[in-house]
Amino acid sequence: DAAARKSGSRDASNLGVLHRLDVKGLHILGTVLVEYLGMRFVCQTIAPGIMQGEVAGGEQGHKLLYGSIESFNPLASDEGMHELMDSALGGACMVATRTLPKYPLTDERMEYIDENRVVPVMPAGIELKENDATEEQRKETVVSCGPIEMKGILGSDKRKYVLDCTRLTGRDANWVSAERGGTGKLDGAKDESSKPEVPNVDLEDDEWAVALLRSELVRSYSETKLSRFVKEKVDEVRAKHGDEESMDEAARKLVSEAEAATLRYNVNVFLPDMRPLAGVDADAARQLAEDEETAREMALYLWDEVLPRLTREVRASCGIPGFDVPVEGRELTELIHGRGINCRYLGRLADLAKDEERRDAKVREVIEGVSVSSTAGGTSASLPDS
């Protein structure tokens, strides 16, 4: 389906990002996407020892260090693997380290999976995990950096591999209903005159669960937020300190505060069927609420600032040397992706363009009216008195 196709494409792209980061001690599998007869296949090389299963203390099998293989398994979080992930994703991709439930799915979802899953034929010596977690175990938490679906595996060659890196940014809150914590921008028009025009989409469809923000937008939002933070602090310094020595000391403090304000983002926000942290870890629950608010701010930044700004720039730049208005799909895609805009916002851009055209039409009417009035006045003034 659409969600699976997007996840497969994003997994391959994100593994490419990790490969280019070239973090010492962190390895990925050779991955390629194959389109065949309308289907998309994710093809990967085999992690050494993975076919032999997870054999405790054995030399032939693999060992799970991070994440979970089966839905019923608890999330693993090896300290050494976590340091590698924090270095790779946290440092370069602004992915935050967060506390997660050790058993991340709700009891209802786990029961549904238990009732509907097809039991596979397992290799000799490997047992399928059952949903046998106790109530106390379901209240345990782990620390993780990266998407909850991601897995870290120690192969039989003693190398650490990363699999299923499906997200390096969080969900787009504009494509999450207000009922589930989103911005509500696409929930539907309240009345016939409300703007913007809302596309006919079902936000509960699994396809929108993988609708993510682009990394270009996250960087743009971070730079904007950091520049505003620095500007506010500079104004405070100027108001409080007059002499040069005090200004120098305050400037050094400002630099340290700006470095501390380096932003990292939770990529596990607004996920369906997640076990709530409330009642398990109060601090983690409070942090998750703050992360969801930040995700809403980023989505609104895209909706209220980035999209209108691009529309205005294209309108103002038409005919100006050095700015080429895109004339075909590839150029348009490159333009909007460079601004951190997903192609699913083309409808919104079209609505904004229509609004600009209506404004231009009104301006033309006013100019034409003034021109006609001026012409008529000049003609009247030139006629002799009778």
Side-chain angles (χ1 to χ4, degrees):
D1 59 0
R5 289 176 65 86
K6 288 182 179 179
S7 293
S9 176
R10 203 166 284 128
D11 182 24
S13 175
N14 293 341
L15 289 177
V17 171
L18 289 176
H19 174 70
R20 290 189 293 274
L21 290 176
D22 195 22
V23 178
K24 185 177 181 180
L26 192 64
H27 303 270
I28 64 170
L29 302 177
T31 304
V32 65
L33 295 180
V34 177
E35 300 277 359
Y36 180 71
L37 297 178
M39 294 181 289
R40 175 172 293 175
F41 297 89
V42 181
C43 306
Q44 289 183 318
T45 55
I46 299 174
I50 200 169
M51 299 302 292
Q52 283 72 38
E54 187 174 2
V55 183
E59 294 295 326
Q60 299 301 316
H62 72 279
K63 181 180 180 182
L64 179 69
L65 300 178
Y66 219 63
S68 175
I69 300 295
E70 292 285 337
S71 301
F72 295 137
N73 291 16
L75 293 177
S77 183
D78 175 77
E79 184 176 351
M81 189 70 183
H82 177 71
E83 289 178 358
L84 285 174
M85 297 312 304
D86 186 66
S87 173
L89 300 185
C93 303
M94 297 189 293
V95 176
T97 292
R98 291 291 184 260
T99 298
L100 299 174
K102 194 169 186 177
Y103 289 85
L105 297 181
T106 62
D107 294 340
E108 293 77 12
R109 183 62 179 174
M110 293 179 74
E111 290 175 4
Y112 175 83
I113 295 173
D114 193 20
E115 293 172 358
N116 293 276
R117 67 173 173 168
V118 177
V119 180
V121 177
M122 305 298 290
I126 304 177
E127 297 181 359
L128 189 67
K129 299 290 185 180
E130 297 295 333
N131 181 15
D132 56 359
T134 65
E135 187 66 27
E136 289 302 316
Q137 287 176 325
R138 294 180 185 185
K139 292 183 179 181
E140 295 177 0
T141 59
V142 296
V143 174
S144 178
C145 179
I148 199 169
E149 303 92 341
M150 186 177 66
K151 304 163 185 60
I153 291 176
L154 179 66
S156 58
D157 58 354
K158 304 308 176 184
R159 291 180 175 179
K160 295 177 180 178
Y161 294 91
V162 176
L163 293 79
D164 298 340
C165 187
T166 53
R167 285 188 308 281
L168 291 179
T169 58
R171 282 189 69 182
D172 185 348
N174 290 330
W175 295 79
V176 180
S177 65
E179 180 182 359
R180 297 187 180 277
T183 62
K185 289 291 187 181
L186 299 175
D187 279 355
K190 301 299 181 183
D191 54 70
E192 294 182 358
S193 62
S194 61
K195 288 293 178 180
E197 297 175 11
V198 178
N200 183 23
V201 295
D202 178 12
L203 295 180
E204 299 303 315
D205 192 291
D206 288 344
E207 179 179 0
W208 308 120
V210 292
L212 308 180
L213 296 170
R214 292 192 62 83
S215 59
E216 296 92 341
L217 180 87
V218 174
R219 286 196 297 270
S220 173
Y221 172 81
S222 300
E223 291 169 0
T224 300
K225 189 167 185 178
L226 194 57
S227 64
R228 290 172 181 172
F229 168 80
V230 171
K231 184 179 182 302
E232 291 175 1
K233 292 298 182 181
V234 167
D235 292 340
E236 291 179 9
V237 168
R238 286 175 177 170
K240 293 181 180 179
H241 306 280
D243 59 283
E244 186 174 344
E245 184 177 349
S246 298
M247 284 288 289
D248 290 341
E249 182 181 351
R252 286 192 293 271
K253 183 179 179 182
L254 175 60
V255 170
S256 63
E257 289 180 359
E259 291 174 349
T262 301
L263 299 174
R264 292 192 181 188
Y265 302 100
N266 188 349
V267 298
N268 295 311
V269 291
F270 307 122
L271 298 184
D273 302 313
M274 281 284 289
R275 186 180 301 277
L277 283 163
V280 177
D281 189 320
D283 291 337
R286 184 164 50 252
Q287 181 63 64
L288 178 60
E290 293 176 2
D291 292 338
E292 290 180 346
E293 179 59 30
T294 300
R296 284 188 289 270
E297 290 176 2
M298 278 195 283
L300 291 174
Y301 169 73
L302 170 61
W303 187 276
D304 296 331
E305 297 187 38
V306 177
L307 294 173
R309 184 191 306 144
L310 176 60
T311 306
R312 291 193 300 268
E313 288 179 4
V314 171
R315 175 180 175 274
S317 302
C318 289
I320 296 178
F323 184 90
D324 296 326
V325 177
V327 295
E328 50 91 20
R330 183 183 296 274
E331 291 180 359
L332 177 61
T333 300
E334 291 176 353
L335 174 65
I336 65 175
H337 279 180
R339 305 299 179 92
I341 302 171
N342 307 81
C343 286
R344 61 177 175 270
Y345 281 102
L346 284 173
R348 172 61 176 158
L349 288 171
D351 290 340
L352 291 171
K354 291 178 183 177
D355 291 340
E356 293 290 343
E357 289 178 354
R358 281 191 286 267
R359 293 191 191 97
D360 289 344
K362 290 180 180 179
V363 171
R364 282 195 299 270
E365 290 176 3
V366 171
I367 293 174
E368 290 172 358
V370 171
S371 177
V372 170
S373 299
S374 300
T375 304
T379 304
S380 300
S382 64
L383 293 175
D385 294 335
S386 55

